[in-house]
Amino acid sequence: MARSKPLWLLVSWFVVAVLGILILKWTGVWKHVDVNWITRWLRDLGFVGGFLYILAYTLRPLVLFPATPLTLYGGYVFGAFWGTIYDIIGAGAGALLSFYITRKWGRNSFQRILRSPKLQMFDQKSAEKGFMVVLYMRLMPFFPFDGISYGAGLSKIRFWDYTWATMIGIIPGAIVYNVFGASLNDIWSWKFLGAVAMYAVFAIVPLMIRKRQSRKQKQLA
């Protein structure tokens, strides 16, 4: 049982994080948060506000706060350019932190429960083609961001394969979401409509690629 302690610590942390979010929601604390004041405060701080945003984004996976709203908010507060820069730094740091935590605490315990030959084969392939696996999932918006980070930490994917694939793969999404977030300052403008169109393309194209791949697999089968 002592060998499983790190895994139980990891699970316990996630349970506490979920309970914390639910308590904040049930007690109505979220309703009293003045988003407009926070937005003005971060803008007035300049680069210090950007640093705080990066720090919040880095720690975000630990409290299971969704990534998309925070990304949009970055564009809304700092604009498309700086919002994208801050997002890439914060999202990348948070993804590396998530990977490190599960690799440090959960990998050994997870490896002991990998008894299915199919799971072991998949784990081995993830080590051999880790860069392309992570890059593909990062580019596809329907894969949960934190799920990829934590799952990669449990697998045999090498650290540098994961790191480079993550930093490259998050760039397109960061640009799209921050441009969209920045356009929220002027809703129904041409900038806003263009951002909506960009977002639609970003969401639809991967779905079309996925559909085509599933068709090819059925034909080969």
Side-chain angles (χ1 to χ4, degrees):
M1 293 298 290
R3 292 182 178 179
S4 300
K5 188 176 180 180
L7 182 61
W8 282 110
L9 287 173
L10 187 61
V11 173
S12 299
W13 173 259
F14 289 145
V15 171
V16 170
V18 171
L19 289 176
I21 293 174
L22 292 176
I23 289 172
L24 290 175
K25 183 177 180 180
W26 290 337
T27 56
V29 172
W30 286 124
K31 296 180 181 179
H32 299 288
V33 176
D34 191 341
V35 177
N36 291 326
W37 181 88
I38 295 174
T39 300
R40 291 193 301 269
W41 178 63
L42 289 172
R43 285 173 178 167
D44 291 340
L45 288 175
F47 286 112
V48 175
F51 172 77
L52 293 176
Y53 174 79
I54 291 172
L55 181 62
Y57 215 128
T58 301
L59 300 177
R60 178 201 57 78
L62 302 182
V63 296
L64 304 180
F65 189 85
T68 300
L70 192 58
T71 305
L72 292 171
Y73 184 67
Y76 179 75
V77 175
F78 303 107
F81 178 78
W82 284 111
T84 300
I85 298 299
Y86 295 152
D87 175 41
I88 291 173
I89 297 173
L96 293 179
L97 178 62
S98 304
F99 179 90
Y100 174 80
I101 288 173
T102 47
R103 178 60 58 90
K104 183 76 173 178
W105 285 5
R107 171 61 190 171
N108 291 335
S109 299
F110 181 72
Q111 197 170 17
R112 285 194 290 271
I113 63 176
L114 271 179
R115 302 197 177 170
S116 169
K118 290 183 178 180
L119 286 177
Q120 291 178 354
M121 186 180 298
F122 176 79
D123 194 34
Q124 185 60 38
K125 285 184 177 180
S126 69
E128 297 170 358
K129 301 180 179 180
F131 177 85
M132 294 306 301
V133 169
V134 175
L135 181 62
Y136 173 78
M137 290 191 292
R138 290 298 190 201
L139 291 172
M140 300 295 109
F142 44 76
F143 286 105
F145 189 88
D146 294 333
I148 299 170
S149 304
Y150 289 122
L154 293 174
S155 73
K156 285 184 177 180
I157 293 175
R158 289 183 286 271
F159 172 77
W160 286 113
D161 286 345
Y162 170 81
T163 299
W164 286 114
T166 292
M167 298 309 296
I168 295 171
I170 63 178
I171 292 174
I175 294 172
V176 171
Y177 284 121
N178 277 278
V179 168
F180 187 78
S183 72
L184 296 176
N185 288 294
D186 191 9
I187 295 179
W188 302 123
S189 65
W190 286 109
K191 182 180 179 181
F192 173 78
L193 296 176
V196 171
M198 184 186 296
Y199 180 83
V201 170
F202 181 71
I204 293 172
V205 169
L207 292 176
M208 294 175 63
I209 295 174
R210 189 181 186 184
K211 192 173 182 179
R212 179 178 294 183
Q213 287 178 339
S214 64
R215 284 180 181 176
K216 287 183 178 179
Q217 290 177 352
K218 287 181 181 179
Q219 291 174 355
L220 292 174

